[in-house]
Amino acid sequence: MNKIKPSLAKGTRDFGPEEMELREYVINIFRNVFDLFGFRSIQTPSIENIDTLTGNYGDEGDKLIFRILNSGDFLKKSDKNDFKESLLLKSKISNKALRYDLTVPLARFVSMNQDKISIPFKRYQIQPVWRADRPQKGRFREFYQCDVDYIGTNSVVCEAEIIDLVYTLFNKLKIDGIDFKLNNRKILQGIAEVYGLSNDFNDLCILIDKIDKIGLEKFEKELIKKGYNSKSVRSITELFNFNGSNLEKINFIEKIISDSEIGMDGIKEIKKLIEVNNNFTIDFSLARGLSYYTSSIFEVKSNKSNIGSLCGGGRYDNLTENFGLKNMPGIGISFGIERIFELLKDKEDPFIEFLKNKILISYLDSKYLPNCFSIAKKLRDENISVDLISDDIKLKKQLKYANKNNISYVMIIGEDEIKSNSYTFKNMENGTQVKNSIDEIIATMKSLKTNV
Amino acid sequence: MNKIKPSLAKGTRDFGPEEMELREYVINIFRNVFDLFGFRSIQTPSIENIDTLTGNYGDEGDKLIFRILNSGDFLKKSDKNDFKESLLLKSKISNKALRYDLTVPLARFVSMNQDKISIPFKRYQIQPVWRADRPQKGRFREFYQCDVDYIGTNSVVCEAEIIDLVYTLFNKLKIDGIDFKLNNRKILQGIAEVYGLSNDFNDLCILIDKIDKIGLEKFEKELIKKGYNSKSVRSITELFNFNGSNLEKINFIEKIISDSEIGMDGIKEIKKLIEVNNNFTIDFSLARGLSYYTSSIFEVKSNKSNIGSLCGGGRYDNLTENFGLKNMPGIGISFGIERIFELLKDKEDPFIEFLKNKILISYLDSKYLPNCFSIAKKLRDENISVDLISDDIKLKKQLKYANKNNISYVMIIGEDEIKSNSYTFKNMENGTQVKNSIDEIIATMKSLKTNV
């Protein structure tokens, strides 16, 4: 066997113990909150048939799908002529690919399991996806997505619950300065109708979505370049700047778009939401880029960070139509979980301090090992994490091992200690040490847990 | 867009909410126990460079690796002639592949991160792997593996801790009848030396590993067919049948292989282990199939189930040598986590009953929605999972929704209930219902949690 230089595949990452502790802690909080709100977890396979995936993400998206080479004699279905035509050859040598997102697998899952699931179907899904993107800072070829959806309901309960879920989640993650911004595509359509900008509504939404980056002035210029009336365009940007409470905003826009039936539908929907949960901010300049949203749209940022959108989503009408299942409206929210990991990594993180509450058992001679095992067992029976030094190394090196592995306490076992049931118990955080019985040590460790 | 019939890729599975609840519950127990014993989690990417993977699993294994087609113009590095030679073409159009197991990625990780990790490195890893196997009952192309390893130590502490870890884990999973069988490759080598069967030691181990399936008689025949002395062969099978305590077995074998230096080494190792942890059963007929084991080997079955081995592993000397890193001995145990899921799925599972402790809030008119939200908030603040009916459906249908979603309690909200703070609280498991205040309901739900 030849020796090879170990390396990672382009655009992929290893996660060592430190990173995994953060990631698992955060994912646990996500799971707990989703569970608190009655959402249930599903998982779909990493590999999907190629037909399931292609055609959903546009031409550019389709190019980013990682295809898997057929196994066995992968050339058996192709002949020499296919070789000239790479697209044709591709379809013959590869019939499956890696998951590109969690939305299309959800649509496939719902279509295949309509008899088994109960409607509304409330699911969440936290899994990696793969994209053959050019890797760059912060952009990887494998990354996690985290989606929460209601399938099969038009009820305003969904928006109201999602708002509470978002605040609960970020509260538990100790990310503050959260603002839940909401708009309604129907109101945007009303605005477009009234000002004569309905020609290509989807293009308009994509352009509105860019205002954050390009600014209002450039936005106006782009619209005027497209041939729209400059007065109308100015009216729209003025409207985007309107300030006030949610009700004031609704009253203001109602006068402007009263002639648009669909616009008034949108207003009715927001009014209904305000009655049950008014804990959000209407933002008429929120558009979201994706074309499949049909009603409520929303996005969440923290005003304490410039990391960008932390989550966003909206209502859609036809998630499963491609798979032949009609009348399945829904609403979804997608959390930028990788971005949230990054945000929390940079914070001082007292909230994962408790992870460090482990004890390293260190012994002065290996003849005490049987005693060490019985002490370890006692502590573990009390649900206290214990690591045990395995090799004959000096105490100094043992303490270094504790530091490197985020272990905050070291317990030292020797002849006298065993005889007197009084063990040296060293706090690695502040350097202090005391003599304690095993029961005292258990009590100390338990008090740390309840203080979290 | 054409409508397509939704289907799963061959050999893959969806996991719906019921299955995910079991899987996540079990994985949490694994994680907790690994943490109790001081092991830390890592994750490696799904995609590895092809050089990292091939050459590790034998020719048959290499064929089962799922290769990923290069992205973009995948044919650019190949010409017409490559087309005649599928192996050559394969290497030019695909330079990466899906992870086949967790062992090779661990070796790559350790080799790449030797400066960052502390030795001994105690890691666990629970991730899916992919194999282009022919799918059949119980065999899938995507499945989870769960590996725990000590890297960089020869200490007997490892075996002693792994034994306790295994019993703790299966105890928490409520899988009983567990027997931890242990042997030592060095003792097997000693036996082979003494009886003149050292010609192909690895073949001998593979054959011993098959005794469970083929029986002792066939085993003897196979060895005699290979040209070994029939008397020696019979001596070995007699030795496999020897019964007694661990010490009796060791004393028995010591007399037989006292002339073999390596065999006596193995005996010394087991004696040392018995001194610190004797909670296992020596089984001289345990061999394990893999060639890289060099000392202790072990396997765990439940005598209450015929599902086969639940976990197994052993010591190795040269995990990272392929990547140029020498002197990295270690010991690993691999849990058959998919098999354990299956075993628990078939059990009556009182241990996941507490997952059902959710409340469904049902309302008699949507005008009570604001009250429902504030009740939901109160309950969730107490960490109680709450689902809220979203659409106007009849009570009977709401109760059906609760049943389908494993929700054990339904709380009904109407005018009188709100005025009197006395809500109908229905237990879906036994059909009883009471009138309770919110505080009483909170107390009931909390008492359920502490009863687990």
Side-chain angles (χ1 to χ4, degrees), chain A residues 52-66:
Chain A
T52 302
L53 297 180
T54 49
N56 289 292
Y57 310 112
D59 287 348
E60 283 310 303
D62 280 358
K63 280 185 197 151
L64 301 184
I65 294 173
F66 270 122

Side-chain angles (χ1 to χ4, degrees), chain B residues 228-243:
Chain B
Y228 291 117
N229 178 301
S230 65
K231 207 181 138 206
S232 296
V233 169
R234 200 129 330 120
S235 304
I236 291 186
T237 56
E238 272 165 27
L239 185 159
F240 287 168
N241 281 326
F242 180 82
N243 263 320

Side-chain angles (χ1 to χ4, degrees), chain A residues 79-312:
Chain A
D79 60 45
K80 226 184 256 177
N81 295 324
D82 300 336
F83 192 62
K84 293 172 199 146
E85 182 50 83
S86 96
L87 267 181
L88 185 66
L89 181 61
K90 200 187 262 189
S91 71
K92 290 193 177 177
I93 64 175
S94 152
N95 60 19
K96 52 193 168 304
L98 291 177
R99 178 171 63 221
Y100 177 91
D101 69 2
L102 304 180
T103 307
V104 169
L106 170 65
R108 181 197 49 70
F109 179 90
V110 170
S111 309
M112 281 179 73
N113 295 284
Q114 27 184 316
D115 310 332
K116 287 180 209 150
I117 59 179
S118 61
I119 299 294
F121 182 55
K122 297 175 69 174
R123 90 84 170 80
Y124 74 86
Q125 195 169 350
I126 307 175
Q127 286 193 282
V129 300
W130 295 268
R131 293 191 188 169
D133 239 330
R134 189 185 299 271
Q136 46 181 269
K137 194 180 177 299
R139 190 197 284 168
F140 298 94
R141 291 183 151 191
E142 175 176 37
F143 55 94
Y144 273 75
Q145 286 196 336
C146 170
D147 285 10
V148 180
D149 289 81
Y150 277 93
I151 309 283
T153 170
N154 280 313
S155 165
V156 68
V157 167
C158 310
E159 279 89 345
E161 286 270 85
I162 286 173
I163 292 168
D164 278 1
L165 180 148
V166 164
Y167 283 108
T168 305
L169 178 72
F170 287 111
N171 184 33
K172 293 202 186 225
L173 290 172
K174 304 207 170 137
I175 296 177
D176 46 11
I178 290 304
D179 192 7
F180 194 104
K181 287 191 173 166
L182 183 135
N183 197 8
N184 194 304
R185 275 277 170 96
K186 291 175 184 170
I187 292 179
L188 282 177
Q189 271 182 280
I191 295 171
E193 271 181 27
V194 167
Y195 291 111
L197 275 81
S198 295
N199 274 2
D200 192 335
F201 181 64
N202 203 38
D203 263 14
L204 178 65
C205 286
I206 292 173
L207 201 58
I208 296 176
D209 197 44
K210 284 186 186 156
I211 291 177
D212 264 3
K213 280 182 204 155
I214 62 175
L216 272 179
E217 210 174 317
K218 184 101 192 276
F219 169 73
E220 287 180 1
K221 269 188 195 153
E222 289 280 326
L223 280 181
I224 292 163
K225 207 161 64 184
K226 278 177 193 277
Y228 291 117
N229 178 300
S230 66
K231 209 180 136 209
S232 297
V233 169
R234 201 128 330 119
S235 305
I236 292 185
T237 55
E238 273 165 27
L239 185 156
F240 285 170
N241 280 326
F242 181 82
N243 262 321
S245 71
N246 282 343
L247 268 179
E248 283 163 350
K249 281 178 187 162
I250 284 296
N251 291 334
F252 167 77
I253 200 87
E254 193 164 12
K255 283 176 208 141
I256 295 170
I257 63 170
S258 58
D259 284 345
S260 162
E261 197 181 331
I262 189 157
M264 292 306 285
D265 263 1
I267 287 176
K268 221 161 71 186
E269 288 176 13
I270 293 201
K271 276 185 174 170
K272 218 168 160 184
L273 175 58
I274 289 175
E275 275 171 35
V276 291
N277 192 345
N278 190 25
N279 195 14
F280 63 93
T281 308
I282 293 177
D283 181 352
F284 295 127
S285 73
L286 178 69
R288 305 280 300 159
L290 292 170
S291 62
Y292 65 86
Y293 292 128
T294 49
S295 152
S296 295
I297 41 178
F298 37 84
E299 196 167 274
V300 177
K301 288 180 185 172
S302 161
N303 57 36
K304 299 267 174 79
S305 145
N306 53 11
I307 205 166
S309 160
L310 297 174
C311 59

Side-chain angles (χ1 to χ4, degrees), chain B residues 446-452:
Chain B
K446 287 201 159 176
S447 74
L448 293 173
K449 280 204 179 172
T450 53
N451 283 339
V452 178

Side-chain angles (χ1 to χ4, degrees), chain B residues 172-360:
Chain B
K172 292 203 186 225
L173 290 171
K174 303 204 169 139
I175 296 177
D176 46 12
I178 290 305
D179 192 7
F180 194 103
K181 288 192 172 164
L182 182 134
N183 197 8
N184 194 304
R185 274 277 169 98
K186 291 174 184 170
I187 292 179
L188 282 176
Q189 272 181 278
I191 295 171
E193 271 182 39
V194 168
Y195 290 111
L197 276 80
S198 295
N199 274 1
D200 191 337
F201 181 63
N202 203 38
D203 263 13
L204 178 65
C205 286
I206 292 174
L207 201 59
I208 297 176
D209 196 45
K210 284 186 187 155
I211 291 178
D212 265 2
K213 281 181 203 153
I214 62 175
L216 272 180
E217 208 174 320
K218 184 101 189 279
F219 168 75
E220 288 181 1
K221 269 187 198 156
E222 290 280 325
L223 281 181
I224 292 164
K225 210 160 59 183
K226 279 178 194 275
Y228 291 117
N229 178 301
S230 65
K231 207 181 138 206
S232 296
V233 169
R234 200 129 330 120
S235 304
I236 291 186
T237 56
E238 272 165 27
L239 185 159
F240 287 168
N241 281 326
F242 180 82
N243 263 320
S245 71
N246 282 342
L247 268 178
E248 284 163 351
K249 282 178 187 161
I250 283 295
N251 291 335
F252 168 75
I253 199 87
E254 195 165 9
K255 282 174 210 145
I256 295 169
I257 64 171
S258 57
D259 285 345
S260 161
E261 198 182 332
I262 190 156
M264 291 307 284
D265 263 1
I267 287 176
K268 220 161 71 184
E269 289 176 11
I270 292 200
K271 276 185 173 170
K272 218 168 161 184
L273 175 58
I274 289 174
E275 275 171 35
V276 291
N277 192 344
N278 190 25
N279 194 14
F280 64 94
T281 308
I282 292 177
D283 180 352
F284 295 127
S285 73
L286 178 69
R288 305 280 300 160
L290 292 169
S291 61
Y292 65 86
Y293 291 127
T294 50
S295 152
S296 294
I297 42 176
F298 38 84
E299 196 168 273
V300 177
K301 288 181 184 170
S302 162
N303 58 35
K304 298 269 174 79
S305 147
N306 53 11
I307 205 166
S309 160
L310 298 174
C311 59
R315 275 204 179 273
Y316 41 82
D317 283 335
N318 291 312
L319 180 71
T320 53
E321 208 178 22
N322 272 351
F323 297 103
L325 178 63
K326 285 190 175 171
N327 299 320
M328 246 336 152
I331 180 167
I333 181 160
S334 191
F335 291 88
I337 192 164
E338 295 279 357
R339 200 173 266 186
I340 292 168
F341 290 141
E342 287 307 309
L343 185 68
L344 293 173
K345 218 192 216 169
D346 296 338
K347 275 179 77 169
E348 286 171 59
D349 45 4
F351 74 93
I352 61 161
E353 276 304 301
F354 84 95
L355 288 170
K356 295 189 180 179
N357 291 337
K358 288 185 196 162
I359 297 180
L360 178 69

